[in-house]
Amino acid sequence: EVQLVESGGGLVQPGGSLRLSCATSGFTFSSHYMSWVRQAPGKGLECVANIKPDGSQKSYVDSVKGRFTISRDNSKNSLYLQMNSLRAEDAAVYYCAETGGGYWGQGTLVAVTS
Amino acid sequence: DVVMTQSPLSLPVTLGQPASISCRSSQSLVSSDGNTYLSWFQQRPGQSPRRLIYKVSNRDSGVPDRFSGSGSGADFTLKISRVEAEDVGVYYCMQHTHWPVTFGPGTKVDIK
């Protein structure tokens, strides 16, 4: 059974940092492009970052460039998102997903408020 | 970035009747490898998105055959042949031919 389990969400003040983690199992993680997708309350889906299977190429949506960093550890079958300089508009449920969309986690909630 | 648009954004449907959602991209989604990486997702309230269709027209395992995808280039369609009550939710198209990956704004399907 494929599983993606996110952790690390929570409440943070504007300007703060969080590190999201995604532990995966049940598929060959090291062979798949991976993404972080977020969904603000009542809004649509937005892919904020993607990473190649070997980690050699990454991309970001403009609104998070320079603040967020995606990474992976294929030895641990895990995906990460380091989020710095958080803003109110970053508040959302963050999903870990296989880039093609075949596999999704349950999401972790990030709240940014003073 | 590739901009994805969908129409309509709201789709009230009658049970047992067909439904259709259009998705258009700001540029062709044909990849250099010849594939077109256009997928469709269903999101029910309170749930993670679930992929229904990948590479334009391939149905995922367990997806009812009343769902079908078609299109090419920059113009795509998701069709539900006969809407059932469990089909209520928001439907998104997504492209991952070009990075960053982008989603359409979503189409909310509900029952009249």
Side-chain angles (χ1 to χ4, degrees), chain A residues 4-19:
Chain A
L4 294 85
V5 180
E6 302 95 338
S7 61
L11 177 62
V12 63
Q13 292 186 335
S17 297
L18 281 175
R19 188 189 193 219

Side-chain angles (χ1 to χ4, degrees), chain A residues 3-4 8 17 22 24 27-28 37 43 48 52 56 61 64-65 67 73-75 78 98 105-106 112 114:
Chain A
Q3 287 195 317
L4 294 85
S17 297
C22 174
T24 75
F27 68 105
T28 309
V37 177
K43 302 298 184 181
V48 297
K52 284 186 72 172
S56 63
V61 69
V64 308
K65 281 179 183 175
R67 300 188 299 123
D73 185 338
N74 287 342
S75 70
S78 293
E98 181 267 332
Q106 83 290 347
V112 183
S114 53

